[in-house]
Amino acid sequence: MGVRGIWKGFGGNTADPEDVSDAQDVAARIAAISDSDRLIMLDRVEDAQLAWFWVTDASCRLTYLSAKAVAQFEARRPLIGEPVSNLLQTICEDGNDESVKPMSYLLSARSSFSEQLVCLKGEENTPGGRKWWVVTGRPQFDKRQEFIGYVGTAKDITASYEETRRASRLAEYDALTGLANRHRMNGRLAAALTSSRMEKRSCALVMLDLDMFKHVNDTLGHPAGDELLRQVAQRLLRVAPNGAELGRIGGDEFQLIIPDLDDRGTLGDSANRIIQMISQPYSIEGSRAIIGASLGIAIAPYDGIEPAELAKAADLALYAAKGGGRGQFRFYSNDLKAKAENRREIEEELRDALVTGGLEMHYQPQVCGRDHVVRGFEALMRWNHPEHGAIPPATFIPIAEDSNLINALGDWALKRACEDAVEWPGDLTVSVNVSARQFLNENLPETVRRVLRSTGLPPSRLELEITESVFMGDIGSAESMFARLRKLGVKLAMDDFGTGYSSLSYLRRAPFTKLKIDQTFVRGCVQGENSGSAIIRAITDLARAMNMTITAEGVEAMDELDTMRNLDIDLVQGFIFSRAVRQADVMAKLNSGQLRYEPVGPSQYRAERRTLYRRVGVVHGDHHYVAMLRDLSRTGARIEGLLDVPIGTDLVIDLGEGQIVVATVRRSQDATQGVEFETPLVSDGGGGLCTRHRISPYRLASVGMPLQALPSGTHLAAEVTRGNGTRSRPRFLQVDVGGSASRAG
Ligand code: C2E
Ligand code: MG
Ligand code: MG
């Protein structure tokens, strides 16, 4: 029988159904195949690339390899005589899969292996790139059962293997930025949380959302938006903490998974670095753009155990960061849920207040630093809520900005302020705050023109106060808005200079007539090492060179006023002269003919202390007391509720939600103690303070609580420190701290 016939027997493409109908007949025919026919058959198999063959000697050096397989090695190196383990490597050797054994191990075991995925060593950088084979090997033994080498087959599967890899890459990575996509990040988060839970470790999740990205997309176009996202991804890769997994989970949202990090001081520093980095200007297809970033941070197991729970917590924190005015970070805390609901309520009620007349404009004088004569007033919005009383603009303006209500609110404020200002005598100016959202509205110049015409206020008496955030987005469109507004004849002031994305370069880009130095600089001027006044001097020199007037905001104390006078500041605005007052009060003052304001205030600014009144837990020995916390600062606080605690006593204070501080009593009188914290508190990103570390839910689980995210309340320290039932007498007498205070127990 010829090769053709045998081949038919193997189901080759010339097979005749009748020839293979009888299995016994086939077996008989195969048995009858001569050695030379077998060789011909092997040649056919090799030629058809159905399989290649390889043979080694007893030391596993290659003695034969099919010619077409040799060609795959680019025929650049000798193959015969080479150890097979120098030529082929299994995928464990490039660190992909540790469950697979290396080639040298497989061969030295002298057992069979089949369908082993290998790649050709040293061929990665050839034009064809990596090549992938599946190999099968069988050890061969002589009559005395001595190992004489391997015989095996190999097959090239590069094309299909690369295709599978490409498909799985597509499914896992974001095509635009190359970062992990939402699908992959979900998987990574689940894996990270499972392993951190097993090892009782922590894992931080950071949600990041770009501020003003939509604006760039709208003004510069989608290709520019895409380019911006790519650049953001590059910057994030540079600043992401070591060991962090970074992904883009949609639109302008990014996510970081940071295993083994629960120090909120370190996380806050990282968050600030990321915000700084993202906020630097971008150059995109010849245009310049600026965007910002808001970050929400949640940490497992404290804020959530399961992936969905942790992600929800980080989302809420992000929402709070955006609500806080953007360009900020926030840690998750239990009260954010209530706050998020509260925001929706405020939005509704603010809408009502606008139509039902619940809003008012108040006016704060801007006074000449030399003669204390008023030169104008800043219009500040006030909302007197029927139930909650006065709600500060710092709370409701960001909510209005988020809901687009800001345009209606801003139009109303502008109109009311101009109506009131025409009543003022002389050339007193009115300064109206314009939020970044309003500034982006194409119709703003038209609105201003209409209001000026309808009220009859000369444009030179209207000043628009704008913050640096208007430079966010595409700088070109900001510049053209400035030009349109200036053409109307109104003045432009840069508000809050020195906060946020401060950059002197903005000053050159806009025709500002005034620069308002933020309160934080005024404070810094008289406190500490006085670098504040050097900074203010530099800013004022620059502003003067550019023909701008300078206003200092938030002057409260005499020493601050003195400093401003020494620095030759043109205008001063602050409680030292007056708070913002109603139009009726402004008119009364102006009608009296007295345009001078007398400074009234403390001789020195009192260092800021947060006068919180908050219930906290205090643990001493095995006793749990209740106290009121006052004047919280980074390094200490005042507590009220325990009688006659000696100086030097160490207490454990439970600030709530697992925040425990060890504190030493430094001052003590009756039921009030001044305590110093062993470890200073850190910023919570929202102007508040928090502890770096919290009690771990694993720890709580070890004393019998269910493993869950930290609950609200100030009982956890007591839970952990609770003894084994035997109690000593309480050392201190618990006094009433308002309402339901109980005796120590
Ligand atoms: P701003 O434009 O920087 O206004 C100055 C803020 O500093 C006012 O707070 C004012 O009451 C406060 N201030 C003035 N002097 C002192 C002082 O001596 N000490 C202290 N501690 N504070 C002082 P207010 O009225 O709460 O407004 C907060 C922010 O809300 C404003 O900051 C402004 O950004 C925004 N805002 C207020 N009204 C409007 C409005 O009609 N439209 C827009 N878009 N934003 C507004
Ligand atoms: Mg202002
Ligand atoms: Mg300001």
Side-chain angles (χ1 to χ4, degrees), residues 364 378 381-382 393 433 495-496 519 553-556 574-575:
Q364 185 179 30
E378 176 174 8
M381 201 179 289
R382 296 292 176 257
N433 292 286
D495 203 354
D496 301 344
Q519 327 196 352
E553 290 188 283
V555 176
E556 288 186 14
F575 294 170

